[in-house]
Amino acid sequence: MRVLLWTCVLGVVMMTSPAAAGDDDSKTCAVQDKLQTCLCSGKHYEVRRMRRSVWVSTTVWDFSLMAGVARAQRKLSKYLKGHNSKASVISRELLTVTQTYVPSDMREVTVSYPLPEGKWNSPPMPKDPKVVLDVIPETIMYVRSYPTQHGKTVGFLAEREVQKLFKSLSAHGEPVMGDNDYYFVLQYDSATDHRNEVAVFATNTILDEFYRSAKQDPRPYLPVCLREKGPEWPTRDDGINVDLVRQDCGTTFCTGDACPKYKLLNKDDIGVETRLLYKGPTRLYTTAPTCYFEQAQPLSQPLMFKFLQDNSALPPDATFSRFTPIATSIWQYKPYDGPCSRMYETFPFLPQDVEDKLPDGGAWYVQKYPDYAAQNFTTEVMCFGGHGEPKDIMAAGRRLFEHVQDRKVCWDFSAIVEYNVQSRLFDRHNEAMQPIYPDGRKLCFNWTEYDQPFKVNFELPEDWYTEPSNAGKSIPCGGPNSPKCAPVTFIRHFGHFAEMRMAKSRWVCTEQSSQTSPDPFHKGLNRLLSYINGDNDAAVSMETTLPILKLVRAAEVMTYSPFTAKVCLYLDKVHQDNPPKPTDPKVYVTGPVEETDYYVTWFEVNDNLKHISDVIGNLFENVTSEMASMSPTFNITFDADFIVEAQYYSEAIMPYLGSLVTFKKVPAEIATFRTDEEKKAGRAECGEFPCVHETVKEFDGFLEIKFNYASGKLICWNSPGCGVSNGRHFMRAINRYADGYNIEGVKVTGFTPPVYSQCTQLDASCRGPYCEWKSSFCMMLPEEYKDKDAPTPIAEGLAVVAEDSRSVYVTKVEGSGVVVNDDAEKAYMKLFAKLRAGGFPCDLEKFAQISYISSSIPSWPGFQYVGVPKLGDNSTE
């Protein structure tokens, strides 16, 4: 096992002399049956796709391949004749596949029969624990035919033919693991078909999806003849339903110094083992940069591979390949409220001589865990087959947990170990583990105390994001480091977004209001193109550069309000230090923008560009919500006040490929709007609006203020949760209400700011950081409704509330908008501490934010108040 394992860690052997399958002298494909489809063919081998199907298999160890096959066939024959859970006699299909590999002196021999398609839905379970059911994913194989000699089909003859096949594959630049990998003997036992074939694994749907999710170019991992058009996997709709849990784990699934060492303490009636795991060798681990279990391995393993290369444990020219064996831990670090309530850590099993080369401490992206398994520990183990598909893994994990949860196991943690390379098609070995904690505690790994224990959740929620297939692969300016592009470097990938770094740069910008142009971005871009084409004081033409930055305030676009669009172009390198001055007064050159970090998410618009604002808006909400959930683990910070698109591609080409940029902090030179600066002069403390509050008393670092509502009526919106999107939804509802979306159909004008938003904890006794909250947003109705009824809202959650005044303890925070930023949260925490320490009469279960904005002007660079409502008056509801 050690030789094969280390081959896998080193990466597939990539050849560099591509040719047609087998030879330039191609021939017609010979096979087309219900299990196999020939994709391309050459003189020396064919490339075939094996259909997803159900097989029955058994594995024996023997010095002789022929003897091993004979022993295995006897076991399978008993299963087909009725030695199964339904006592069913099953007809034998004509194809027999022998899978073999020689890890030591003894040979591993697995013989497999395909089951009739009518048995694929809940086939009979074998009674012999050494006989197992397998589901084979869509798989591509290299196949070579050979004649029989004296009736012999396996053994020395097959061994000789497979070495010829390996040699041909290497000569034609095919990606293979090496000539010591698993190989297969295919036998067609019928009166009319005496063919015999040897086959070598090429790829399958699992590996293809893995490399795509790992942000690798999948083509080098495919057979040469498929690299141009791709493998074209069929849509899955096969009705397969197979129980992959094993009755017996066996003992030969892993050998070598990298394998876990354990003592079997007990085995119950369904095959679950209680093991004492002995202290293992030092392990590498990385926390998967994702909320989704399906992405945990693809995003973690490239980081480990890079770490090994950086520390000379792998050759610098080694090709990345999937690690095997590897373990994944699932940490439920809070009660389940979506995929981001779980974290995943991955641990490759590396030989000790490789571990010895690695430095202590690891790197920011991979850690060396010197105290891993610092003491022996006990765990419950359930073994199962399959190729590591997430649904199979989670099903096995859930089944084990439900079986052992009444024992002294941890409830907030589970682990999965995958032992086999993907080239092992049959009788694969995986394990689900549930650790036992000595004192019987339920929450073993959580650092926050909770009133009630919670359980690890094994759901696989649907992913909200589908990355375009060509996202970022070919930027039309010649690449991210081209002179025509703003200089950027890649830092790390989070699945739905990548962290990037932009070098110090200078931009030329302009602004355009949506109230004066139906397409403000296009009009602004035309001004900038005039500038670089010579409309400047030096009358010089400059290089056209990318990307085009398009920036708007989130509060404006997300509420469908009039907005100001800012458009910027990167100045080419020749003019970065001494740019010519624009002659158009509406065009300006920024000061140097210092090196800045940001996140990019690619998206695709397939039909009409009029939908692009909706696509970007929804994408922005989903991305920032996920970033907020991942922030505690990965220290993700982001600026939610601006939505930025970095445009690299022409909008005239469909589908349109765009990129959403979310800055950690939008640089001041980009975030500043000249039109705002011009309007700031003469603004009162409350912006362009009359202040409706008065200061009652000043304290050390905070104020008591009182709001007096002249109309005596507020329009309020209530919703569950206190997420980043609640305020935007309120502004949308207000705009629709003002436009006549009310029972009376009356348009309402003259809303009086500020917006008073408040988050309330539903259960005052809850002390965890993940308690349930609700939010409310209110704005004063026009004074004309003081003595008459206001229009009745239609939108759910929107209501007219009678209220004359409310008092709040507040502190001032620079900036504004309907999204609470980091500065506001920090200011609130300081205020909270002062109010609690001073015993002030206030409701500490509520968090208030006051912003002097309106439905038509939802943001301006001023300030906002954050605070806590005072008790004892009509100020909180």
Side-chain angles (χ1 to χ4, degrees), residues 153-458:
T153 58
V154 296
F156 173 75
L157 186 60
E159 185 84 28
R160 185 186 66 185
E161 293 298 322
V162 82
Q163 292 305 316
K164 291 180 181 179
L165 176 56
F166 274 122
K167 185 177 180 180
S168 294
L169 295 175
S170 297
H172 289 86
E174 301 286 5
V176 292
M177 295 297 301
D179 58 8
N180 61 348
D181 192 16
Y182 284 100
Y183 71 87
F184 305 85
V185 181
L186 283 62
Q187 298 168 266
Y188 302 83
D189 186 14
S190 73
T192 59
D193 193 345
H194 300 289
R195 284 179 299 120
N196 296 284
E197 298 165 334
V198 289
V200 172
F201 175 86
T203 188
N204 59 18
T205 52
I206 310 300
L207 270 187
D208 190 56
E209 178 59 30
F210 173 85
Y211 289 123
R212 294 176 190 274
S213 298
K215 315 305 174 186
Q216 307 291 313
D217 182 354
R219 290 173 298 179
Y221 301 92
L222 295 173
V224 172
C225 66
L226 300 180
R227 290 178 186 174
E228 183 175 346
K229 64 178 181 178
E232 298 180 355
W233 302 110
T235 302
R236 178 187 297 186
D237 185 21
D238 45 32
I240 289 178
N241 178 27
V242 177
D243 184 357
L244 295 175
V245 171
R246 305 308 195 206
Q247 305 171 55
D248 183 72
C249 289
T251 58
T252 59
F253 51 85
C254 189
T255 58
D257 63 357
C259 295
K261 305 299 188 294
Y262 68 92
K263 178 181 179 181
L264 180 62
L265 302 179
N266 184 55
K267 180 178 176 181
D268 67 16
D269 55 353
I270 70 165
V272 171
E273 297 183 353
T274 304
R275 297 179 186 172
L276 174 63
L277 281 177
Y278 296 121
K279 177 181 176 180
T282 302
R283 296 285 185 226
L284 287 184
Y285 78 94
T286 185
T287 302
T290 180
C291 294
Y292 291 84
F293 177 77
E294 302 94 315
Q295 298 177 353
Q297 289 289 355
L299 293 179
S300 296
Q301 292 197 30
L303 297 176
M304 296 177 187
F305 188 82
K306 179 181 184 322
F307 180 76
L308 293 172
Q309 281 191 316
D310 289 347
N311 291 280
S312 301
L314 286 177
D317 59 346
T319 303
F320 171 68
S321 181
R322 180 170 171 158
F323 285 80
T324 306
I326 194 162
T328 305
S329 61
I330 305 171
W331 305 73
Q332 190 74 49
Y333 69 92
K334 64 177 181 177
Y336 185 80
D337 60 1
C340 290
S341 60
R342 295 189 300 234
M343 293 192 310
Y344 315 102
E345 288 184 348
T346 56
F347 302 79
F349 289 56
L350 301 178
Q352 190 62 55
D353 58 343
V354 177
E355 297 272 7
D356 294 340
K357 297 179 181 180
L358 304 178
D360 293 332
W364 67 263
Y365 50 91
V366 174
Q367 295 294 313
K368 190 176 182 182
Y369 204 163
D371 295 323
Y372 175 73
Q375 58 183 0
N376 302 337
F377 69 96
T378 310
T379 184
E380 305 286 5
V381 179
M382 176 178 281
C383 300
F384 62 101
H387 284 251
E389 295 188 68
K391 68 177 185 61
D392 295 334
I393 290 175
M394 288 305 206
R398 181 188 298 110
R399 186 163 166 183
L400 172 63
F401 182 84
E402 291 173 351
H403 181 68
V404 302
Q405 63 178 317
D406 293 332
R407 305 176 191 178
K408 293 182 179 181
V409 296
C410 300
W411 279 14
D412 56 350
F413 174 88
S414 186
I416 303 294
V417 184
E418 299 175 65
Y419 283 95
N420 302 130
V421 291
Q422 286 293 314
S423 57
R424 177 178 177 133
L425 291 184
F426 303 101
D427 197 4
R428 295 172 55 82
H429 186 89
N430 310 289
E431 295 177 350
M433 293 184 174
Q434 208 65 46
I436 297 173
Y437 214 86
D439 62 6
R441 70 175 67 179
K442 300 299 183 186
L443 300 183
C444 304
F445 300 96
N446 276 281
W447 51 88
T448 306
E449 292 297 326
Y450 291 88
D451 295 333
Q452 297 294 328
F454 51 85
K455 301 175 182 179
V456 61
N457 183 282
F458 294 96

Side-chain angles (χ1 to χ4, degrees), residues 603-609 611-612 615 653-658:
F603 65 91
E604 202 169 66
V605 179
N606 292 307
D607 46 14
N608 195 316
L609 280 178
H611 299 144
I612 194 169
V615 171
I653 300 174
M654 285 292 164
Y656 170 70
L657 184 64

Side-chain angles (χ1 to χ4, degrees), residues 26 63 103 137 249 251 292 302 340 358 517 525 642 762 877:
S26 59
F63 291 103
C249 289
T251 58
Y292 291 84
C340 290
L358 304 178
S517 173
L525 178 59
F642 298 92
L762 295 180
E877 297 294 340

